[in-house]
Amino acid sequence: MTIMNRKILWVMAAVLLGCDAPPERREVARPATREVTSEAGEVPVLLFLGTSLTAGLGVGGDRAFPALVQEKIDSVGLRYRVLNAGVSGETSAGGLRRIDWLLKEPVAVLVMELGANDGLRGQPPDALRANLQEIIDRTKRAHPDARVVIAGMEAPPNLGDRYTYAFRQVFVDVADDNDATLITFLLQGVAGVPELNQEDGIHPTAQGHRRMAETAWEVLEPVLREISSARSSPPEP
C-alpha cells in the first residue's frame, strides 16, 4: 500500500470515528424544510437517512448538506420536500429500526448514508448488507416506485485489508442488486482538508457541507429530474 493510500485510509477512519458522537454531542436533525402544511405534505419526499454527517453535527440541520440540497431543488424549480432523518452515532441497525415510521411520508427518493458506525464497531459486513437490504425492501413495499441512492462508506484500516474490502464492497453490491444509484464518497474534497472541517478535524464546517451538497447534487439532480419527467408524462394508451 502506498503512503498516499495509507493517508487516505486514515483520513477516512477519522471520519468514521467522528460519526459516533459521545452522548453529550448526539444530535438529531430537524426537517431541512420550512414548516410543512397539509398541501406540502403531498409533495414527494427526498428522505435522507444517515449519521452525524447527515444530521449536521456542529453546524445545525439548517446548514447541513440535505438543507442545501433543498435549496438547489427549489432553485431549479423541482418539486420535492427534503426530510433530514440524520442521527449522530447511527448504525444501519438503528436506521432499520426507524425506517417504518419515516415511510409514512410520501417518499420518492431514499438516500442512505449509513454504515460508518458499523465499520467503527467492526460489525460483520454481512450484517450491514442485510440491514441495508431490509431498509430497501421495506421502502419498496411502502413506495414501490421510490428510487434509492446509497452513499458508500469506508471501514477503519486497522481492521485489515480483507475486512475493509468486504465492507466497501457491500455498498457497491447492494446498489447493483437493487438498481440503486451510488455516491462513491460523500466527503470527496472535504475529508482531510482543515479549512473544511471543524476543530475536531472530523466533522465538516458549513463550507464543508456546501461541498458535500455539490457532490450529492451531481448524483441526485438527474434522478430527481427523471422522476419528475416520468410523473409529468401522460400514461401510454
Side-chain angles (χ1 to χ4, degrees):
M1 181 181 293
T2 66
I3 293 175
M4 179 59 69
N5 285 338
R6 287 195 186 97
K7 182 177 179 181
I8 292 172
L9 285 174
W10 280 112
V11 167
M12 289 180 170
V15 170
L16 296 177
L17 289 168
C19 289
D20 192 21
E24 64 272 15
R25 294 197 66 198
R26 286 179 65 85
E27 183 169 335
V28 179
R30 298 178 183 275
T33 59
R34 48 197 167 275
E35 184 178 355
V36 178
T37 64
S38 57
E39 179 180 356
E42 299 303 315
V43 176
V45 165
L46 174 55
L47 173 63
F48 286 84
L49 181 64
T51 68
S52 59
L53 296 177
T54 294
L57 184 67
V59 301
D62 59 338
R63 294 196 295 173
F65 81 92
L68 304 180
V69 169
Q70 178 74 72
E71 293 179 3
K72 293 179 180 296
I73 290 171
D74 295 342
S75 71
V76 298
L78 293 173
R79 191 167 178 264
Y80 295 92
R81 175 168 58 93
V82 166
L83 178 60
N84 186 334
V87 175
S88 296
E90 186 66 292
T91 62
S92 63
L96 177 56
R97 285 192 293 270
R98 293 192 292 131
I99 191 61
D100 289 338
W101 180 79
L102 294 167
L103 290 174
K104 295 178 181 179
E105 298 283 348
V107 176
V109 181
L110 169 66
V111 181
M112 285 199 297
E113 183 268 303
L114 292 170
N117 292 303
D118 296 68
L120 175 63
R121 292 168 171 80
Q123 296 294 322
D126 285 346
L128 170 62
R129 184 193 306 271
N131 288 334
L132 297 182
Q133 186 61 56
E134 182 62 21
I135 290 171
I136 294 174
D137 290 345
R138 293 187 187 185
T139 300
K140 289 294 188 178
R141 285 197 294 269
H143 304 286
D145 294 329
R147 298 284 294 273
V148 177
V149 176
I150 299 173
M153 294 292 163
E154 290 285 341
N158 61 299
L159 295 175
D161 292 344
R162 185 174 180 179
Y163 181 90
T164 55
Y165 173 79
F167 185 89
R168 182 187 306 119
Q169 196 63 30
V170 165
F171 303 97
V172 176
D173 291 344
V174 171
D176 287 344
D177 292 346
N178 295 276
D179 195 25
T181 303
L182 182 67
I183 300 174
T184 305
F185 187 36
L186 183 61
L187 290 170
Q188 181 68 39
V190 177
V193 181
E195 59 269 29
L196 296 182
N197 288 277
Q198 299 173 45
E199 290 184 1
D200 60 12
I202 296 168
H203 291 94
T205 60
Q207 185 179 355
H209 275 274
R210 286 194 289 273
R211 181 64 180 269
M212 293 163 64
E214 293 289 344
T215 297
W217 186 241
E218 288 180 6
V219 172
L220 286 170
E221 184 181 14
V223 173
L224 298 178
R225 288 190 180 278
E226 183 178 337
I227 295 172
S228 295
S229 177
R231 288 175 180 268
S232 61
S233 298
E236 296 183 1

